[in-house]
Amino acid sequence: MPVYRAPVEETLFILNEVLDLPAFRDLPGFADLDPDSLEAILREAARLFEDVWAPTNQVGDVEGCMRHPDGSVSTPAAFKAAYDAYREGGWLGISAPEEYGGQGLPGVLNSVVQEFASAANLSLAMYPGLTQGAIAALFVHGDEEQKRLYLPPMIEGRWSGTMNLTESHCGTDLGLIRTRATRNPDGSFALTGAKTFISAGEHDLCENVVHLVLARIDGAPPGVKGISLFLAPKFLPKADGSPGERNEISCGAIESKMGIHGSSTCAVNYDGATAWLVGEENRGLAAMFVMMNEARLAVGTQGLAISEVAYQNALAYVRERLQGRALTGPKNPQGPADPLIVHPDVRRTLMEIKAFNEAARALMLRGALAADIVRRSPDPAARQAADDALGLLTPVIKGAFTDSGFANAVAAQQMFGGHGYIEDWGMSQFVRDARIAMIYEGANGVQAMDLVGRKLARDGGRAIMAFFAEVGGYCEAHADEAGMAEFLTPLAAGLEDLRGATVWFMNNAMANPDNAGAGAVDYMHLFGRVALGYMWARMAKAALRRPDDPRMATKLVTGRFFMERMLPETAWRRSRVEIGADSTMALAEDAF
Amino acid sequence: MPVYRAPVEETLFILNEVLDLPAFRDLPGFADLDPDSLEAILREAARLFEDVWAPTNQVGDVEGCMRHPDGSVSTPAAFKAAYDAYREGGWLGISAPEEYGGQGLPGVLNSVVQEFASAANLSLAMYPGLTQGAIAALFVHGDEEQKRLYLPPMIEGRWSGTMNLTESHCGTDLGLIRTRATRNPDGSFALTGAKTFISAGEHDLCENVVHLVLARIDGAPPGVKGISLFLAPKFLPKADGSPGERNEISCGAIESKMGIHGSSTCAVNYDGATAWLVGEENRGLAAMFVMMNEARLAVGTQGLAISEVAYQNALAYVRERLQGRALTGPKNPQGPADPLIVHPDVRRTLMEIKAFNEAARALMLRGALAADIVRRSPDPAARQAADDALGLLTPVIKGAFTDSGFANAVAAQQMFGGHGYIEDWGMSQFVRDARIAMIYEGANGVQAMDLVGRKLARDGGRAIMAFFAEVGGYCEAHADEAGMAEFLTPLAAGLEDLRGATVWFMNNAMANPDNAGAGAVDYMHLFGRVALGYMWARMAKAALRRPDDPRMATKLVTGRFFMERMLPETAWRRSRVEIGADSTMALAEDAF
């Protein structure tokens, strides 16, 4: 059975030494995260996810979810106790507002916990993950009554949340939504329609399920401008807040999926279900975007999480499995063969995953810190700068991390040879589970278009200019420091590729927007490499402060590998962007 | 349910117009493959695989194989009739020797049939595929009695074959094999040992299963020099050739795998099983290599096959599914949205798969033709040249095609959005099935080392020099022909990258063999791109002869896309080769 060890030391290094969390102590909630408290919390989390969650992952995959004839859905038998341990530990609400029962700690801490949880058991992590997204949307857009009734049990983890967007004929294109909302005399609405692919739409882990549903109020304008957000609980809360009468909401089916078998993916039917408007009429998409942006970062984190756990298991295997001899002569001459780790191609694969994971963790936490600043900083300029950075990073973290996370899971599986293909060894599950992250919360091609088509141009390119200034400025500021040149020279070259590709879009996408579309995915990966390279430069700087620490020496070796072998991909990506759309679009549709 | 349409026209174009099959009519068996006969055979094959095999693919995945308490294994219920139709059509023996009941047609035709079969139902295709490999090994290394007894029922498809190499502690490293062969007084041997991962090791499609088994004769030298090849049938043939007494061979378990659920992957136990030596004592590996080389080409073909069928289904989906609007304005203004195919990133994905598939098919058939020349040409120089080319192409076709085939299946699945992740739609199966091809018959990292560590250096580099001369000569010979420059200029640049990377290995791998190991996979893909580019140049040349044919116009557009967007990857691959092994090997093993 696969094992998992939460990367506590890595995370502490990033938070304390790279992102310098102590410098943010004046923001609300941050004062509680001094290094000692932080370490204590992470070690506590590690125990939960390593010892309680991870052992439920493979059995959950095998058992899967089951829908019963009465429409109820049971999750794998091992899940309830693991979920309860998480709920009782208060993990769901660590970053939730204190006035509704949360602990108010920084969101960056919640991102750490999301990584550990997703690595230990991605399917199980989905349930509280959805709840957290729903909490965020309700906190920002709900009215006082809604918050008072719903937030406390959700923050406690007794009630869970969902996002109901997709219908069978529309996923990305939400303007096509058909679910109808009819006004009731008492100010509530009656929802009628069928939603599909609803994660955690029905399950047995919680007392109640709080659906956030996109629907169209009778008479609303067509397209995305006529969509509103509704709250529709499975059980209508009584005045005292306890679950009351059953709402007209039912699970019609659960999907048979490639992976995340323990996550119940439901077709949810609304048959005149009682619901309440959240936020303004016809502004539902804006309200849902609060949830979607949170979720996109969380899904990017899932890519990293699977990459990490797959790496750990592959590393253990290639250290143990004896097969063949090193090209440079036997390394285990007393044994029948050398361990697989002696082979350069195995080592290359390990290094590529390791170098991704460590920088991706830093970037993920940098994104989460930006989200904290947006929410908690008193300084409008700091909030705007953080919001700009977050807007750029969200599609990159979602798209690039999940593509790489899947590729890394496949590469880790490959190191197992034939055993990788056998379900018992658990590597297949990592690959199958990782695959969804490239698709949900906006397929990665959609993320790339969000980056290229919306985020680059917004506010006259303010966000991307600020990114260039930050990374370019970092390269200049530290150029003369001992040991930094080998990190900053390649980073500057990568940044130049990103700048060149950006300028190319500016010059060519206006005349032909297909030029943006054809290069968007390459650009997203190009951006991802540069952003990871920037994290490596900052990690190297931190590591150089303690050159005698063997962990820091390892860090520098890994960073050099990234700079030498992984960052230069930017040149290839840029060249593909600059080819443009002509050959891509040259073939007539009917000639395929 | 996914559908499949065998690429008959594409195949005819390649065989008749690109590889110029009619020019080989003097070789045995080739005279029967005039264009009309060839087309008739391919259309017949297409009917079988489209109508009879393809409908069994998804149900076979869901049902899987089942081992019963008595050790028997049943395949999915739909398989028997589909297999029988194939067997009765004589497809298994189309290229098998006529003296044992085969049709003696060129192996290139068998490769076409293998592609169709693997695309229609990879799991089912495994059974006759293994039999064909066993036929080849027995034909080359078996004695007259073995051939007389075993080949006719195998060629007829009544008996099937297996290859028994792997044991639980050794896959790649066959020197570690422990299965023992003890001499019996009558000249036969008693086999004792346990083999794992034996495809088609036990099943219900055939009357008998003929195992080819690697084992160590008592007293044999250690390592690969003490391994012999044995034939051990499930039922010992009676004198009249019919299956007689049950041998001491049993299936102890079948594996639960990520994919190819309809292929029974068995643990096979030999408990003093009666077996006969095939070929010479202690030369078993050489004998098995006949089978392994055939199998490697066939596995490469599987990569192409899944890429093709996944592409076909994605194409149908993106033409139908309405979602969003084209960046350049609505293309389906009367409908609620445009079809997905209008989006440049979807089009890019389609083009990348299509451009791979068409060239990969040409290269696969070129490899098969080389194998025919090796077996059938009376001219020793032609045989040697073909053998050299085949030696290089085998690891490239196996490794690069299966990596690309899997990546293409994933990309095709991605075009389905959420539906891609749902098993009903069938795309998940293509991904899960395609995954095995990167692993079995020598994991792709092993293929890369075969190419770089063995094939490049063999005979003083004769094969790679001949490849450079052939492709370089082609570029020069056709440089001035109208329309060819846009194909030959990029091809020459790609070839220069391959030459550069080859020279780099020559200069750097001797001093440090890890330099070969660290760059081997990149080199394999670099080689693959150049070889596919060469096929595109040859296809373009053929297409330019008929510029008014719309299919040829499409061909040229697709070829230009490959040259512009896919071939230039060679520069990036070369740069990674030339980085060498230092940063890859820098981290101490215990520092990971």
Side-chain angles (χ1 to χ4, degrees), chain A residues 171 173 323-324 413 421 435, chain B residues 171 173 323-324 413 421 432 435:
Chain A
D173 193 348
Q323 205 78 179
Q413 181 189 31
Y421 202 64
R435 184 67 183 87
Chain B
D173 192 349
Q323 205 78 177
Q413 180 189 32
Y421 202 64
R432 291 184 289 97
R435 185 67 185 88

Side-chain angles (χ1 to χ4, degrees), chain B residues 231-287:
Chain B
L231 181 167
K234 174 178 167 185
F235 295 104
L236 301 169
K238 291 192 262 198
D240 67 359
S242 65
E245 190 189 340
R246 177 79 192 232
N247 206 348
E248 294 299 326
I249 300 172
S250 60
C251 167
I254 60 174
E255 304 288 350
S256 169
K257 305 187 300 298
M258 183 179 185
I260 53 167
H261 292 161
S263 168
S264 82
T265 306
C266 304
V268 179
N269 299 322
Y270 295 86
D271 299 303
T274 302
W276 292 273
L277 184 68
V278 177
E280 295 176 46
E281 273 187 39
N282 300 333
R283 297 293 308 275
L285 224 51

Side-chain angles (χ1 to χ4, degrees), chain A residues 169-170 172-173 176 514 585 589, chain B residues 317-344 346-347 415:
Chain A
H169 62 289
C170 67
T172 300
D173 193 348
L176 304 178
D514 282 346
M585 303 303 285
E589 274 170 33
Chain B
Y317 185 83
V318 300
R319 278 185 162 143
E320 195 118 312
R321 175 82 172 172
L322 305 180
Q323 205 78 177
R325 290 292 183 189
L327 298 172
T328 50
K331 297 291 177 284
N332 175 34
Q334 267 71 55
D338 289 342
L340 283 175
I341 195 173
V342 304
H343 300 298
V346 169
R347 197 76 73 96
M415 286 188 265

Side-chain angles (χ1 to χ4, degrees), chain A residues 394-474:
Chain A
T394 298
V396 172
I397 287 175
K398 199 285 180 181
F401 282 23
T402 60
D403 277 0
S404 291
F406 176 73
N408 290 345
V410 171
Q413 181 189 31
Q414 187 73 13
M415 286 188 263
F416 279 71
H419 290 146
Y421 202 64
I422 307 300
E423 289 293 348
D424 312 24
W425 289 79
M427 301 307 285
S428 166
Q429 183 187 355
F430 293 137
V431 171
R432 291 184 289 97
D433 285 359
R435 184 67 183 87
I436 188 56
M438 298 159 71
I439 298 173
Y440 64 14
E441 290 310 318
N444 286 355
V446 173
Q447 302 300 325
M449 280 309 295
D450 175 50
L451 175 64
V452 169
R454 296 178 61 240
K455 300 292 176 60
L456 285 188
R458 210 161 66 171
D459 305 312
R462 191 178 67 207
I464 186 70
M465 295 320 232
F467 182 82
F468 292 155
E470 179 181 346
V471 181
Y474 190 89

Side-chain angles (χ1 to χ4, degrees), chain B residues 83 87 92 131 149-150 152-160 203 205-209 240-243:
Chain B
Y83 179 78
R87 180 175 55 70
L92 201 148
T131 307
L149 263 178
Y150 291 92
M154 292 172 79
I155 286 170
E156 245 184 278
R158 289 189 293 109
W159 295 7
S160 71
H203 60 91
L205 300 177
C206 295
E207 299 164 15
N208 201 357
V209 180
D240 67 359
S242 65

